[in-house]
């Protein structure tokens, strides 16, 4: 019984707008993917890593991760797909028979605390087939529909029942495989918003449980997030 973490790092980082993929952009002198891999390894509950690399950069990614003294678990690098979902599926194909728990984590969340990784794995090992970390939403959220050159507000969901979802998301391996095979097709056919792996499990009609997220696991999308991450690191070291 082992836990595999799929580290998705094959995106281009178009919103960050650098001339290299986001996972390779440096934070405090190290690429985002390396920060994330070190933190997953440091959790003590991840036995191996599969990293999805951008097209043509599998070699670069392998050199970076396999040689790092802080990534003390076996690392395999595979080429990602054109979408995040395709990248996760490519990573999942590398699971070993003994990997009964699979985590999916975004390299774009480089500062994920080890404690959060442990919380997710513990909940899966306690018997929940799909577990996501989430945080209460602080902004009021409006639902809109297109209306000419503007948008029409059609509803205000009860904020107390809303959560912003993070990674790592954790799964019983068989359930995640089924979700990627059947849930993905069903979600597409029924126009469900399966924008994460848990969404594919929901499309199967299987339960997804939530544990408390952590603000430090925020996602790097823009330059401002990168600046924020460097401040967080400075504060942690000081
Ligand atoms: N990802 C991936 N394969 C893809 C697209 C995304 O492995 N085809 C990964 C990214 O590397 C990232 C995570 O999924 O770690 C979350 O995606 P996102 O934050 O959207 O990253 P990018 O797609 O790289 O950024 P952007 O959408 O701005 O281009
Ligand atoms: Mg993207």
């Amino acid at each position: 019984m082992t836990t595999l973490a799929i580290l998705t790092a094959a995106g281009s980082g178009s919103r960050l707008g650098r001339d290299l993929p986001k996972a390779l952009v440096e934070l405090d002198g190290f690429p985002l993917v390396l920060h994330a891999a070190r933190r997953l390894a440091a959790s003590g509950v991840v036995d191996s890593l599969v990293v999805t690399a951008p097209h043509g950069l599998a070699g670069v990614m392998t050199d970076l991760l396999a040689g790092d003294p802080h990534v003390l678990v076996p690392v395999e690098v595979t080429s990602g797909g054109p979408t995040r979902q395709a990248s996760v599926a490519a990573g999942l194909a590398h699971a070993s028979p003994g990997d009964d728990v699979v985590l999916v984590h975004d390299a774009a969340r480089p500062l994920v605390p080890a404690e959060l990784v442990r919380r997710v794995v513990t909940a899966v090992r306690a018997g929940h087939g799909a577990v996501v970390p989430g945080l209460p939403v602080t902004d009021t959220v409006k639902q809109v529909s297109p209306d000419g050159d503007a948008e029409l507000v059609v509803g205000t969901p009860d904020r107390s029942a809303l959560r912003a979802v993070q990674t790592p998301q954790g799964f019983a391996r068989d359930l995640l495989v089924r979700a990627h095979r059947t849930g993905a097709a069903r979600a597409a056919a029924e126009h469900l918003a399966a924008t994460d792996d848990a969404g594919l499990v929901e499309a199967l009609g299987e339960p997804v449980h939530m544990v408390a997220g952590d603000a430090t696991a925020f996602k790097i999308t823009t330059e401002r997030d990168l600046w924020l991450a460097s401040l967080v690191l400075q504060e942690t070291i000081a």
Side-chain angles (χ1 to χ4, degrees):
M1 300 220 301
T2 49
T3 300
L4 166 74
I6 298 170
L7 183 53
T8 61
S12 62
S14 56
R15 287 168 292 179
L16 197 55
R18 300 284 189 95
D19 54 5
L20 76 173
K22 183 161 67 180
L24 294 175
V25 168
E26 290 193 355
L27 165 66
D28 197 31
F30 301 103
L32 298 185
V33 65
L34 192 52
H35 282 278
R38 286 175 174 177
R39 281 164 183 257
L40 289 169
S43 71
V45 293
V46 169
D47 298 288
S48 64
L49 285 173
V50 171
V51 183
T52 68
H55 186 69
L57 292 176
V60 171
M61 210 64 111
T62 304
D63 291 347
L64 188 66
L65 293 160
D68 187 77
H70 300 288
V71 182
L72 294 170
V73 297
V75 181
E76 211 175 329
V77 175
T78 187
S79 287
T83 63
R84 182 183 180 280
Q85 189 175 309
S87 291
V88 174
L92 196 51
H94 288 259
S96 307
D99 293 326
D100 58 335
V101 172
V102 176
L103 292 182
V104 182
H105 182 65
D106 292 334
R109 300 180 187 271
L111 302 184
V112 58
E115 181 57 37
L116 179 60
V117 181
R118 289 194 285 269
R119 188 146 69 232
V120 171
V121 171
T122 299
V124 178
R125 295 235 169 258
H128 296 307
V131 175
V132 300
L135 287 175
V137 185
T138 52
D139 288 323
T140 293
V141 176
K142 300 283 184 197
Q143 191 174 354
V144 295
S145 69
D147 186 31
D149 57 0
E151 289 177 324
L152 181 68
V153 172
V154 294
T156 307
D158 173 13
R159 191 173 66 189
S160 67
L162 296 177
R163 301 288 179 268
V165 174
Q166 306 179 312
T167 72
Q169 301 191 348
F171 305 90
R173 185 262 196 89
D174 294 348
L175 178 60
L176 186 61
V177 169
R178 208 149 51 84
H180 271 266
R181 242 182 237 148
T182 318
R186 199 172 294 172
E190 296 175 16
H191 303 290
L192 300 172
T195 47
D196 63 355
D197 299 281
L200 301 179
V201 173
E202 290 162 57
L204 280 181
E206 297 287 347
V208 175
H209 285 84
M210 184 167 284
V211 295
D214 192 309
T216 311
F218 70 96
K219 190 164 88 158
I220 308 283
T221 305
T222 62
E223 283 295 339
R224 186 181 175 280
D225 300 321
L226 209 50
W227 168 76
L228 201 62
S230 67
L231 288 184
V232 170
L233 274 182
Q234 276 174 27
E235 195 184 51
T236 331
I237 294 162

